[in-house]
Amino acid sequence: MTSLCRMKNVKILHLPQLLVFVHACLAQADFAPYFYDNGPYSQNGNLALFSLSEDMPVGTQIYCLNGTDPEGQEVRYGLSFDPGSKEYFSVDPESGNITLVEKLDREKEDSFDVLVSITDGQSKVVERVTVFVMDANDEKPEFQNMPAIIDVLETTQSGSSIYKVEAVDRDTGSGGSVTYYLQNSQATPFAIDRHSGVLRIKSGEMLDYEKTKTHFVTVIAKDGGGNFNGKEQFLSSSATLTINVIDAQDTPPSFIGTPYFGYVYEISVPGSEIFTVVAKDGDVGNPNPISYSFEEGDDGVFSINKTSGRITLLTLPIYLKREIFNIKVRASEVSPEGRLMDYGVTTVVIRVVDLNNNPPTFYGEYGPQNMFELTMYEHPPEGEILRGLKITVNDSDQGANAKFNLRLIGPGRMLRVVPQTVLNEAQVTILVEDSAAMDYEKHHFLTYKLLAVEIDTPERFSSTADIVIHLLDTNDNAPKFSSDYYIARIPENSPGGSNVVSVTASDPDSGPWGEVRYSIYGSGAELFLIQPASGIIYTQPWAILDAEVKSKYNFYVKAEDAEGKYSLAEVFVTVLDLNDHPPAFNDNFLEKTMVIGAPVKIEAVDDDAEVPNNVIEYAIMKAEPDNNIFDINAETGEIMLKSYIKSIAIIQNITKQRDFTWSLVVQARDRGQPSFSTTAVVKIDITEATQLNGGRLGSFLLQSRNKPMQILGMLAGVISLMVIITVLISTATFMRNKKSNRILPNRRIRRRPRKQHTWNFKNPFKSPETPGEKFKVEEEEQEPEVIVENVNYNNNVGKVMTQWPPPPPPCVPAVLPPPPPYIPRERQWAVPTISATVAPNPKKKPAITRQDTVNKALVSELKMRLEQKKMLKH
């Protein structure tokens, strides 16, 4: 017994034998290990009655084998499967943890046996346990009888069952229950029972083979849902049921190609085919043959073939009593037994028509005519009828064959035809539509085509007639100049009778109306004449043109025809300036005084009217002494010392002379062709200026020496200001005395005689001992004394009496120092006395230095004193 208990390999014993064996082992000192039996819902033990879901993921630890050894020996675990079966689990020998290693599928295997073992190294106990696989919702419903194709008669009543759908879901519980639905159930005439899967025709719906021959119904089978991987899942599948509708004899025949129209022509003969009708059974799935017949409207003059539907004429067209026949034709189904069944009716319209064998024709007064002529004046009134044209058009056919359009084809839209649509016959009227376009000058004659074209006939017959209109001329045009204005140029001093310009006007009218006569008039036409026939404008024989007197003339030229229609153009004549005047100085001998640093200006005038004839250029031709120390501005005529000469001392070093008087020959030349020139002798005395004691007044005079009007304006302003101040003081005094009502003495102002001072001038022409003493002025001036006396008057008004006229200004010496005698030095010309003009400021102002300011002030002071002396003499 002991040796039996220690066997490594033992047989699996049934329970009674196992008990005997255990009791036998217990009697010995070594006991076999055993498993704990913790029940079916425990996660450890011997795996007895264990179950798990089929969606359990592979690799999951699902159970733990748990057992012990009575002697406390360490135990190891194992498990195995029957040979040939799938091994779903693996076990850790030491811990007893069981892991799922294969995917479970309850639908394939819902339980399987596992041999679990426990050993302490000496004894081993093996037990067979059954593991149950629990269902998960992992299977879709599967259709058993779909997809399928069934045939249903179109006469099947609504609500009838036509098919039973079967689907099976291998899952258990709610996941194995199946319900049925139709896809797009609103758009199909069928309905399905959700539980049984019976497919029926909806209540109130009927199948119609003629509308829909085949229906495709999609059935959806859906399970009741179940747990899968921890979530609730619903699965469904779909399949298509094809329902073919079987045609039944329930639709009457229908005609094809309606409406029907047939025609009987005037040349038709009995037996002629008029029309053929075609009908088909409406039950196209199983059609019956068709039989044709007349119901009414044929009047016995037409027949129809019962089988083919061909309609023929039975008599001549001349015996037909109506132009239009509305014949009702019946098409009936013929049963296999030859019995007439359902039928359809349509109308065939047969029209008796005239044969179109006559084209439109134009007629004149004497029969058919295709050429019409007329002579008339141009520009007739718009809307006027051309009564000279007598045209008639006719079409001998009847009905639509005699309907045609009239059109007028020709240049522009000068004429139009009435009427434009004709039935059978009409009188043709031609109207004027564009009077202005009917112009003899553009068209001596007009040619049109009158066209008649049928409208609604296949042949569209047509005919034409020519219309020729000869136009007569009228005086409808005024002469027209080739230009609205003419521009002419003529040199001045041209002899009388010289041609100026030729004007041209044309009149498109014919005969005398096209002859043009010319004339001129206007304020500028007195020096000109025009040839009436040719339009040549020329100067009067006595006319003298001078650009310097008047260079622009304008006047009007008139072109007139025989009836007085005319037009005007303007003539502009420009007298071209010739260089016929040389430049001229005011005098051939000029005297100038030049202060060093300030230029002097000479000026010549050219009486020519235009540039470049009156543009003058200046040049110094000769200077005496020979040493030329001057420059001249060629445009302005300003003569100035060369830039390096700043004082009299420099001039002395250059010339080695003490006489600072130069004589220049200055030439003024114009820029005309040919060019003219004039010369003048300019005597220039050079001097230096000294400081003028004048304060601000002296500075102002220096700045304004070349602006005498500015100086006069300043003096007038000062005097006006003094008058205004005097008036204001008098007014204020009067108002004050009037308010105080006092008699105030009048103030009498007595001026003491002013002590006369003599102005001492040094001779500017005499060489001073020093250059600075040359224009030195010695004067003393004192303010006059004013003595005020009060005189009482009875008018209570204070008056200020000022001695008037005021004492005269200081007088200049009665006799100026005589100028030094002028001794010509090898000069052969006479020097007349010429008063010089004040030169304007040059265009480019040089920089003004202190010395320049003093010089300018001295010159201005000298001129002022000389003018005062002249006034005293007069």
Side-chain angles (χ1 to χ4, degrees):
M1 217 34 202
T2 302
S3 61
L4 180 60
C5 292
R6 295 181 180 276
M7 293 177 60
K8 298 293 183 184
N9 297 316
V10 296
K11 290 184 178 181
I12 299 174
L13 306 177
H14 295 289
L15 185 57
Q17 297 175 344
L18 181 59
L19 295 176
V20 174
F21 177 73
V22 170
H23 287 294
C25 290
L26 290 176
Q28 300 295 327
D30 186 14
F31 295 96
Y34 60 90
F35 287 103
Y36 295 119
D37 187 2
N38 296 326
Y41 302 106
S42 176
Q43 295 297 321
N44 57 65
N46 62 350
L47 207 64
L49 301 178
F50 178 70
S51 63
L52 74 163
S53 177
E54 64 177 330
D55 60 352
M56 184 69 68
V58 175
T60 304
Q61 180 180 330
I62 60 173
Y63 199 82
C64 182
L65 294 178
N66 191 8
T68 185
D69 181 65
E71 291 84 12
Q73 296 290 332
E74 181 180 358
V75 296
R76 297 177 64 85
Y77 304 97
L79 61 82
S80 61
F81 295 86
D82 292 333
S85 61
K86 201 169 188 178
E87 297 182 358
Y88 291 100
F89 304 139
S90 66
V91 66
D92 185 343
E94 296 179 358
S95 63
N97 292 331
I98 298 177
T99 303
L100 180 66
V101 297
E102 291 289 342
K103 181 67 176 175
L104 301 175
D105 190 353
R106 190 203 64 80
E107 286 73 29
K108 293 182 179 179
E109 193 172 8
D110 57 358
S111 64
F112 52 87
D113 291 339
V114 180
L115 299 176
V116 295
S117 61
I118 183 173
T119 178
D120 59 0
Q122 296 181 358
S123 301
K124 182 178 183 180
V125 177
V126 179
E127 297 182 6
R128 177 184 292 271
V129 296
T130 299
V131 177
F132 298 95
V133 180
M134 306 304 293
D135 186 40
N137 190 25
D138 61 341
E139 296 290 334
K140 294 182 179 180
E142 295 181 358
F143 288 95
Q144 304 298 308
N145 56 350
M146 287 184 66
I149 301 174
I150 62 174
D151 296 331
V152 180
L153 192 64
E154 67 173 335
T155 56
T156 304
Q157 297 296 322
S158 61
S160 301
S161 300
I162 59 174
Y163 195 70
K164 186 178 186 311
V165 179
E166 293 182 4
V168 175
D169 192 324
R170 294 188 297 171
D171 291 324
T172 60
S174 62
S177 63
V178 179
T179 54
Y180 302 93
Y181 304 91
L182 293 183
Q183 191 175 24
N184 298 328
S185 60
Q186 300 296 327
T188 180
F190 305 100
I192 192 170
D193 186 273
R194 294 180 59 186
H195 303 289
S196 65
V198 175
L199 187 67
R200 293 183 174 84
I201 300 174
K202 286 182 181 179
S203 178
E205 296 281 352
M206 293 294 293
L207 301 180
D208 190 346
Y209 176 83
E210 286 70 31
K211 292 183 178 179
T212 307
K213 297 179 178 58
T214 303
H215 297 270
F216 298 94
V217 180
T218 300
V219 181
I220 299 174
K222 183 177 181 181
D223 63 17
N227 189 45
F228 182 76
N229 288 335
K231 296 181 181 179
E232 188 175 15
Q233 176 175 270
F234 294 87
L235 299 176
S236 63
S237 58
S238 61
T240 301
L241 177 65
T242 303
I243 303 173
N244 293 323
V245 180
I246 305 302
D247 190 24
Q249 294 297 328
D250 59 347
T251 305
S254 60
F255 288 91
I256 299 174
T258 57
Y260 295 140
F261 297 95
Y263 299 94
V264 176
Y265 299 99
E266 59 182 348
I267 60 173
S268 299
V269 297
S272 300
E273 180 181 350
I274 306 302
F275 198 81
T276 299
V277 297
V278 178
K280 290 186 177 180
D281 188 0
D283 302 311
V284 295
N286 185 23
N288 289 322
I290 304 298
S291 176
Y292 301 96
S293 61
F294 288 144
E295 277 195 351
E296 60 179 18
D298 61 302
D299 291 355
V301 295
F302 299 98
S303 65
I304 187 169
N305 187 291
K306 294 183 179 181
T307 304
S308 64
R310 181 170 176 263
I311 299 175
T312 57
L313 179 65
L314 299 179
T315 184
L316 292 173
I318 59 174
Y319 298 114
L320 299 179
K321 299 179 179 179
R322 291 187 291 172
E323 292 185 2
I324 297 177
F325 293 85
N326 293 314
I327 303 175
K328 292 189 178 297
V329 179
R330 173 183 292 185
S332 303
E333 294 185 35
V334 180
S335 67
E337 296 81 13
R339 181 171 54 87
L340 296 179
M341 301 172 60
D342 205 356
Y343 64 88
V345 178
T346 191
T347 299
V348 179
V349 179
I350 298 177
R351 176 174 296 174
V352 180
V353 296
D354 175 50
L355 187 64
N356 187 26
N357 52 5
N358 295 291
T361 305
F362 292 100
Y363 295 88
E365 293 182 302
Y366 306 104
Q369 186 176 335
N370 57 6
M371 180 72 174
F372 300 89
E373 291 188 83
L374 176 66
T375 300
M376 60 183 297
Y377 284 103
E378 63 176 340
H379 305 304
E382 293 185 0
E384 180 176 328
I385 299 174
L386 305 187
R387 301 187 184 279
L389 298 176
K390 297 181 179 180
I391 307 172
T392 303
V393 64
N394 174 269
D395 190 325
S396 301
D397 292 320
Q398 300 297 319
N401 292 336
K403 188 176 182 180
F404 55 92
N405 284 338
L406 289 177
R407 286 191 298 167
L408 198 60
I409 302 174
R413 296 184 178 180
M414 306 179 197
L415 306 174
R416 64 185 177 94
V417 62
V418 176
Q420 294 183 350
T421 302
V422 179
L423 182 63
N424 289 116
E425 183 176 312
Q427 183 74 30
V428 179
T429 301
I430 306 296
L431 301 177
V432 177
E433 189 165 279
D434 189 354
S435 175
M438 299 182 68
D439 192 350
Y440 173 83
E441 286 72 31
K442 295 180 180 178
H443 314 280
H444 287 7
F445 61 90
L446 303 173
T447 301
Y448 284 87
K449 287 281 187 182
L450 184 58
L451 177 63
V453 182
E454 292 180 348
I455 301 174
D456 297 327
T457 63
E459 298 81 7
R460 294 184 64 82
F461 289 134
S462 64
S463 61
T464 60
D466 293 326
I467 298 176
V468 179
I469 300 174
H470 299 275
L471 296 178
L472 300 178
D473 191 22
T474 61
N475 188 21
D476 58 331
N477 294 285
K480 185 177 182 180
F481 282 97
S482 59
S483 176
D484 292 335
Y485 58 90
Y486 294 88
I487 299 175
R489 296 175 177 86
I490 183 171
E492 64 177 345
N493 301 332
S494 297
S498 299
N499 289 345
V500 179
V501 66
S502 178
V503 298
T504 304
S506 60
D507 191 329
D509 292 323
S510 60
W513 297 325
E515 297 177 1
V516 180
R517 305 289 292 178
Y518 299 95
S519 60
I520 61 175
Y521 67 94
S523 60
E526 60 274 1
L527 297 182
F528 303 93
L529 297 174
I530 189 169
Q531 295 181 5
S534 65
I536 297 175
I537 299 175
Y538 58 95
T539 59
Q540 294 272 14
W542 47 264
I544 298 176
L545 301 178
D546 191 345
E548 288 74 33
V549 177
K550 185 175 182 180
S551 63
K552 303 290 184 181
Y553 297 87
N554 70 292
F555 50 86
Y556 291 95
V557 58
K558 179 179 180 181
E560 188 174 10
D561 64 14
E563 289 188 351
K565 292 187 176 182
Y566 68 91
S567 62
L568 300 176
E570 194 167 3
V571 178
F572 298 90
V573 179
T574 300
V575 179
L576 299 178
D577 180 45
L578 298 179
N579 192 20
D580 54 352
H581 291 85
F585 290 97
N586 290 337
D587 201 337
N588 291 332
F589 182 79
L590 305 174
E591 288 186 350
K592 299 287 184 177
T593 299
M594 176 181 289
V595 178
I596 294 179
V600 296
K601 181 177 181 181
I602 61 172
E603 186 174 9
V605 177
D606 192 319
D607 292 335
D608 286 317
E610 298 178 358
V611 295
N613 297 333
N614 59 3
V615 177
I616 299 175
E617 293 180 345
Y618 300 91
I620 297 175
M621 307 302 296
K622 186 178 181 182
E624 288 189 8
D626 292 337
N627 302 81
N628 187 6
I629 61 173
F630 298 96
D631 288 328
I632 189 168
N633 189 314
E635 294 181 357
T636 64
E638 289 184 346
I639 300 174
M640 64 198 75
L641 293 171
K642 292 186 180 295
S643 60
Y644 59 84
I645 298 177
K646 304 296 185 181
S647 66
I648 292 293
I650 297 175
I651 298 176
Q652 289 178 340
N653 292 334
I654 295 174
T655 61
K656 307 300 181 181
Q657 300 179 23
R658 300 184 62 82
D659 185 5
F660 303 113
T661 300
W662 259 257
S663 294
L664 305 180
V665 178
V666 178
Q667 183 190 66
R669 177 181 294 276
D670 62 27
R671 294 183 181 178
Q673 292 294 332
S675 178
F676 294 101
S677 64
T678 302
T679 60
V681 177
V682 182
K683 178 184 176 183
I684 299 178
D685 293 321
I686 305 174
T687 183
E688 280 187 334
T690 59
Q691 179 68 35
L692 181 64
N693 297 324
R696 294 185 179 180
L697 178 61
S699 300
F700 175 77
L701 293 176
L702 286 175
Q703 295 175 2
S704 306
R705 73 184 191 281
N706 293 326
K707 301 176 182 178
M709 296 305 296
Q710 184 172 351
I711 297 175
L712 293 177
M714 183 202 70
L715 295 175
V718 171
I719 294 172
S720 301
L721 181 60
M722 293 175 63
V723 172
I724 292 172
I725 293 174
T726 303
V727 172
L728 291 176
I729 293 174
S730 301
T731 304
T733 304
F734 169 76
M735 296 302 295
R736 184 185 65 183
N737 295 338
K738 187 176 181 181
K739 288 182 180 179
S740 61
N741 196 18
R742 289 185 303 171
I743 298 176
L744 297 178
N746 190 18
R747 288 187 177 181
R748 177 178 297 171
I749 301 175
R750 293 182 180 179
R751 296 182 181 270
R752 292 183 178 178
R754 188 169 175 177
K755 185 178 180 181
Q756 299 292 331
H757 294 273
T758 303
W759 290 6
N760 295 323
F761 287 85
K762 289 192 177 182
N763 190 351
F765 302 101
K766 185 178 179 181
S767 301
E769 294 180 0
T770 61
E773 298 177 358
K774 195 166 184 181
F775 280 20
K776 191 170 184 181
V777 179
E778 295 179 359
E779 64 176 356
E780 293 180 359
E781 185 174 350
Q782 296 179 357
E783 292 294 330
E785 277 186 82
V786 178
I787 300 175
V788 180
E789 293 183 358
N790 290 333
V791 180
N792 191 4
Y793 291 91
N794 294 324
N795 55 5
N796 295 329
V797 177
K799 295 184 178 178
V800 178
M801 298 297 293
T802 306
Q803 182 180 351
W804 192 260
C811 296
V812 298
V815 179
L816 288 173
Y822 176 74
I823 301 174
R825 299 177 181 177
E826 298 180 0
R827 299 179 187 175
Q828 303 301 326
W829 57 79
V831 183
T833 303
I834 303 296
S835 61
T837 59
V838 180
N841 290 333
K843 294 182 180 179
K844 296 183 179 178
K845 296 183 178 180
I848 299 176
T849 63
R850 175 181 177 86
Q851 186 65 31
D852 293 339
T853 304
V854 173
N855 294 340
K856 293 175 184 177
L858 290 174
V859 173
S860 300
E861 183 72 10
L862 177 60
K863 289 180 180 178
M864 182 181 69
R865 292 179 180 181
L866 290 174
E867 289 179 359
Q868 289 176 354
K869 178 181 177 182
K870 291 180 181 179
M871 291 173 60
L872 291 175
K873 284 183 179 181
H874 293 291

